[in-house]
Amino acid sequence: MERINIRIFGNIAEPDAAIPAFHSWIQQNLCPELLIDVVDYRHVPGGPGVVLIGHEADYGLSQTPHGIALTYSRKAKLEGTNADKIAVAFQQAVIACERLHTYSFDTSVCEIIVNDRIGTPNNDANWEALRKAATEIFGHDIEIIRKGEPRSRLTALVSSKTDPAVSLRRQTVAAH
């Protein structure tokens, strides 16, 4: 699996504060990815909102019907297993949520989206691989729901009674 997106949802808010925050990330070189520019797509109905464009990944903050959503979109290939790739993307998304302290995010729920319909179509075999990788990362105390239909991107809604960011950090610290 390549082109992993992680979407974490937050409170009802306007993404206005993301523009100066994203600019500061570029100026202070806060992310491991090469960051290029900030683009405001808020005028596009159903669009991506405010996007921090990077070479290896993009960070976006958009409005949803239920609140704000931060999306980490990995574009460059990562080495490792599917679980490794999802873990890296999730960790970067959580770090981004923490940097955007103006907003409140719920990291006990996230979407994992494989943004590659050709390389990883939404079929049963790829769903099983995604489900297995998510369970490996977050443990067995999660609920994983398949979203969409076969023509849409492979997407899992992952939720936990405990905060998956905590268990992922514990695994990440133990691995190093």
Side-chain angles (χ1 to χ4, degrees), residues 149-168:
E149 44 91 20
R151 292 178 294 175
S152 62
R153 298 177 295 174
L154 180 62
T155 302
L157 178 66
V158 179
S159 58
S160 176
K161 293 178 184 171
T162 59
D163 186 347
V166 173
S167 63
L168 177 63

Side-chain angles (χ1 to χ4, degrees), residues 101-137:
H101 51 82
T102 305
Y103 305 101
S104 175
F105 292 96
D106 179 6
T107 57
S108 68
V109 178
C110 73
E111 283 183 344
I112 303 170
I113 304 159
V114 182
N115 195 16
D116 185 3
R117 288 185 182 102
I118 294 173
T120 311
N122 189 353
N123 60 34
D124 291 340
N126 288 329
W127 166 250
E128 185 56 31
L130 178 57
R131 190 196 61 71
K132 180 182 174 200
T135 302
E136 185 178 329
I137 296 165

Side-chain angles (χ1 to χ4, degrees), residues 44-59:
V44 178
V50 177
V51 182
L52 173 55
I53 304 293
H55 186 275
E56 297 89 0
D58 298 337
Y59 296 82

Side-chain angles (χ1 to χ4, degrees), residues 80-97:
T81 66
N82 290 335
D84 294 337
K85 295 171 187 178
I86 293 169
V88 167
F90 183 77
Q91 184 175 25
Q92 289 307 114
V94 169
I95 291 168
C97 288

